[in-house]
Amino acid sequence: MSILHLVPHFGIGGDMTVVKSMVRVQETTEQVWINALPSEAVFGSVQAENPFPLNKGLSGLLRALRNLSLVPAATEIFHAHSPICVLFALLARRVRCPNAAVVFTFHWPVPDQGLRRKAKGWLFRQADIVHLFSEKTCEAAAERYGISKSRMKVLPVGV
């Protein structure tokens, strides 16, 4: 199986902690990339250059889209760690890997409202699976963003 983790940036923080722990398990049986780079390049002694600068707003997304060709065509699962990563995964699936699943790790609802909340809800509902850390987070995501409980999978980070 080929998995592409999409994180908004490289470095320390929650996303990379989750990805690092998942990669350790996955590398024994699957092909794993992080933002289209092999994990050893990302976690190596010299910090790799991020081909998808998804934490840089619209300009970062546009720069990342120029690099869509770096997405391995064999990708079977996109694992996205932020709303902008979900958007990128959906576009990459459409352009490079039409049969790939999109899994979104939902951390916690942030204060948003109106059009921004509706746009996020639409994005989150496009994911095949929404991974959440607790039942309480499921309740909040269902209420705030209209995510169907049938798409939600609870898996605590510690597990």
Side-chain angles (χ1 to χ4, degrees):
M1 177 166 300
S2 298
I3 301 169
L4 174 63
H5 291 281
L6 292 167
V7 291
H9 57 85
F10 291 167
I12 59 171
D15 291 338
M16 289 303 283
T17 301
V18 170
V19 169
K20 200 174 219 177
S21 63
M22 295 178 100
V23 166
R24 277 193 206 115
V25 173
Q26 293 165 341
E27 283 183 325
T28 58
T29 57
E30 285 102 18
Q31 280 190 296
V32 181
W33 293 276
I34 301 167
N35 288 18
L37 297 174
S39 59
E40 58 270 10
V42 176
F43 299 134
S45 59
V46 176
Q47 189 67 50
E49 173 108 10
N50 188 351
F52 305 142
L54 295 170
N55 65 331
K56 303 287 186 194
L58 185 57
S59 67
L61 176 63
L62 293 175
R63 283 196 313 270
L65 291 176
R66 290 193 318 232
N67 291 334
L68 260 176
S69 63
L70 298 177
V71 171
T75 300
E76 296 172 76
I77 297 174
F78 290 103
H79 183 206
H81 285 266
S82 72
I84 197 77
C85 291
V86 174
L87 178 57
F88 185 84
L90 293 169
L91 294 168
R93 174 169 66 180
R94 187 155 194 82
V95 173
R96 299 279 298 160
C97 316
N99 297 319
V102 174
V103 176
F104 171 47
T105 294
F106 182 95
H107 298 284
W108 188 249
V110 295
D112 54 16
Q113 53 192 340
L115 186 57
R116 176 177 236 146
R117 183 182 290 182
K118 287 180 190 212
K120 282 183 179 180
W122 179 85
L123 265 179
F124 300 163
R125 290 188 303 271
Q126 303 312 303
D128 298 291
I129 296 173
V130 179
H131 162 228
L132 303 106
F133 299 126
S134 69
E135 289 296 333
K136 188 160 182 85
T137 312
C138 285
E139 292 167 17
E143 179 184 317
R144 185 177 289 246
Y145 299 110
I147 301 169
S148 166
K149 292 214 177 192
S150 66
R151 290 182 183 249
M152 295 181 184
K153 303 293 181 213
V154 176
L155 181 67
V157 174
V159 175

